[in-house]
Amino acid sequence: MRINSKRLKRVLLVIAIIIFLPVVIIACYMQTPQFGKKPSGARLERIKQSPHYANGRFNNLVPKPTITPGYSMSKEIYNSLFKKYPRTAPTDSLPSVKTDLKALPLDSNVLVWFGHSSVYLQVNGKRILVDPAFSGKASPLPWGIKAFKGSNVYQPEDFPTIDYLLISHDHYDHLDYETIKALQSKVKQVVCGLGVGEHFEYWGYEPKQIIEKDWDEEVAIAHDITLHTLSTHHESGRGFSRGTSLWLSFLLETPTQKIYISGDGGYDGRFKQIGEKFGPIDWVILENGQYNKAWQSVHNLPEEVAQATLDLKTKQLITVHHSKFTLARHPWDEPLNLIAQHAKSHNYKLATPMIGEVVDLHSNTQVFKEWWRGIN
């Protein structure tokens, strides 16, 4: 019996190691800086004063289940892990233009898109960068979601000094740790949602660099540029925490032009409200890609992008959140094909720049190729 007892103890020890060792490894790995830090202290106390914060987290204006009724989280996870879907990433390398960003005349009002949701703007002499993600991945794991071939041709060293870095929310494909660290010496000011500043301070940014905002607030970027921080219907979180920081959309307003940047978020009545308050809007940069009917509440479907464009009383549309990472199961070029089809029947103009191509924000006649056609 003594021998059997020893064997049993060894077996139990091995089982315990098999069960708990991965847990310990994961817990240790999640202490690395890329996971960021939850708000605390005075920052948390300020967050608690927000009308959009309750029960320990931020909440959307209109409560909706993240998973669409009729779908299940477990089945969606299973499908993502074990099912194969055709053409979710291109096999060919994506085309691009390598623009010398540092040489762009500062008095030119332009936009450059870098794949997914990363966008550079020059507006009335100010340089603005939105949601930069240049590490080549959209995951905290080294073997995680990789950028498409040809889509990651820009790096932090390609950028001039950035007057304002805008962060819509803290998901990994929008708040990229490696990129944020590499840009630190170039960034004058960061504008982000309440709570997101905790990540930046943890990563070495000075508190004076960080401007944290709630929905329906303003930042005076210059005497002739106002940045409005507006709502969207989405979520936030790194690691296992959810809703501890706020997600934003933005509207840049000058005396002659308005530019709306949607961030991530599903379709709802806010687009019409924003259009009624600020419209007509000259340019809108709308999320269109990495969607699924199962999580329709937090990501637009292409037909909803088309409707949101009308709601916003838009003159010109650029879509983002596509052509860099596979985060959903649709063919990689489906968002572009569908929005191009929708645009034919409406009176706004769809601009389809390739990665790195300069868009003239004062032109309504600039022509763009449907560059994704014929790419496998």
Side-chain angles (χ1 to χ4, degrees):
M1 291 296 292
R2 190 176 300 145
I3 295 174
N4 289 339
S5 176
K6 287 182 178 179
R7 286 179 177 173
L8 178 61
K9 287 179 180 179
R10 290 193 190 106
V11 170
L12 291 174
L13 179 60
V14 170
I15 291 172
I17 291 172
I18 291 172
I19 292 174
F20 291 109
L21 184 59
V23 174
V24 172
I25 292 172
I26 291 170
C28 290
Y29 185 68
M30 289 185 66
Q31 300 308 306
T32 56
Q34 61 189 313
F35 287 92
K37 198 172 181 182
K38 292 171 63 175
S40 61
R43 177 174 277 110
L44 180 58
E45 292 308 308
R46 180 188 173 196
I47 284 171
K48 289 178 179 178
Q49 302 307 308
S50 169
H52 310 115
Y53 188 88
N55 302 316
R57 58 157 295 147
F58 284 104
N59 299 277
N60 287 302
L61 293 175
V62 179
K64 294 181 186 178
T66 300
I67 297 297
T68 305
Y71 293 84
S72 72
M73 179 68 79
S74 59
K75 187 172 181 180
E76 289 307 308
I77 293 173
Y78 176 86
N79 288 341
S80 295
L81 292 175
F82 300 109
K83 284 194 172 184
K84 296 290 184 181
Y85 296 88
R87 301 186 67 251
T88 55
T91 55
D92 297 339
S93 182
L94 297 188
S96 65
V97 176
K98 195 61 188 282
T99 296
D100 185 349
L101 302 170
K102 296 175 184 177
L104 290 171
L106 191 54
D107 61 355
S108 61
N109 281 22
V110 297
L111 176 152
V112 182
W113 169 67
F114 307 104
H116 206 61
S117 295
S118 303
V119 176
Y120 173 76
L121 296 137
Q122 285 186 183
V123 178
N124 289 17
K126 294 296 182 183
R127 296 184 175 104
I128 299 164
L129 183 59
V130 183
D131 289 354
F134 305 129
S135 69
K137 59 187 180 69
S139 165
L141 302 174
W143 60 85
I145 301 160
K146 301 292 186 182
F148 299 161
K149 288 188 294 184
S151 69
N152 202 49
V153 295
Y154 284 83
Q155 295 300 310
E157 56 265 27
D158 295 321
F159 287 83
T161 298
I162 301 299
D163 293 299
Y164 287 87
L165 173 62
L166 309 186
I167 300 296
S168 64
H169 63 298
D170 71 357
H171 286 163
Y172 301 103
D173 55 323
H174 294 258
L175 182 61
D176 182 54
Y177 167 69
E178 290 89 342
T179 301
I180 296 302
K181 285 293 294 179
L183 285 170
Q184 185 173 349
S185 63
K186 295 175 180 278
V187 172
K188 293 181 181 179
Q189 300 271 208
V190 178
V191 181
C192 56
L194 294 175
V196 177
E198 190 80 35
H199 300 309
F200 279 88
E201 283 195 46
Y202 180 45
W203 295 338
Y205 281 65
E206 296 293 330
K208 64 183 180 182
Q209 288 179 273
I210 304 165
I211 302 170
E212 290 175 82
K213 288 294 182 180
D214 206 333
W215 294 332
D216 299 315
E217 294 189 335
E218 296 178 359
V219 178
I221 282 184
H223 74 279
D224 59 349
I225 309 174
T226 300
L227 177 69
H228 302 269
T229 56
L230 305 175
S231 72
T232 180
H233 188 102
H234 198 54
E235 180 60 278
S236 68
R238 298 170 83 87
F240 296 117
S241 63
R242 290 291 176 269
T244 58
S245 63
L246 190 61
W247 43 101
L248 302 176
S249 64
F250 302 98
L251 188 132
L252 280 162
E253 184 175 18
T254 76
T256 60
Q257 203 164 50
K258 295 169 188 173
I259 302 167
Y260 176 69
I261 305 162
S262 74
D264 280 6
Y267 180 83
D268 63 13
R270 74 183 181 281
F271 294 114
K272 189 170 184 180
Q273 292 169 1
I274 292 169
E276 289 172 349
K277 182 175 182 179
F278 296 102
I281 298 174
D282 299 276
W283 287 89
V284 297
I285 303 166
L286 284 181
E287 176 210 22
N288 175 42
Q290 311 318 311
Y291 48 76
N292 187 323
K293 287 187 177 180
W295 58 79
Q296 186 175 352
S297 69
V298 291
H299 288 288
N300 292 317
L301 302 179
E303 57 267 30
E304 293 172 321
V305 176
Q307 184 58 52
T309 306
L310 297 176
D311 292 349
L312 290 162
K313 301 179 182 178
T314 300
K315 297 177 182 178
Q316 301 198 82
L317 164 69
I318 290 178
T319 68
V320 298
H321 212 250
H322 56 75
S323 304
K324 191 161 190 175
F325 303 116
T326 299
L327 303 174
R329 303 195 291 266
H330 57 71
W332 75 271
D333 54 355
E334 181 181 278
L336 287 163
N337 287 329
L338 291 180
I339 197 62
Q341 183 178 334
H342 284 297
K344 290 176 182 177
S345 59
H346 298 299
N347 61 1
Y348 58 81
K349 181 181 177 183
L350 173 65
T352 57
M354 68 178 68
I355 290 170
E357 187 173 3
V358 176
V359 178
D360 183 351
L361 292 174
H362 283 315
S363 173
N364 59 8
T365 59
Q366 188 176 1
V367 177
F368 300 94
K369 296 179 181 177
E370 292 189 336
W371 58 265
W372 64 94
R373 305 288 188 190
I375 296 176
N376 293 318

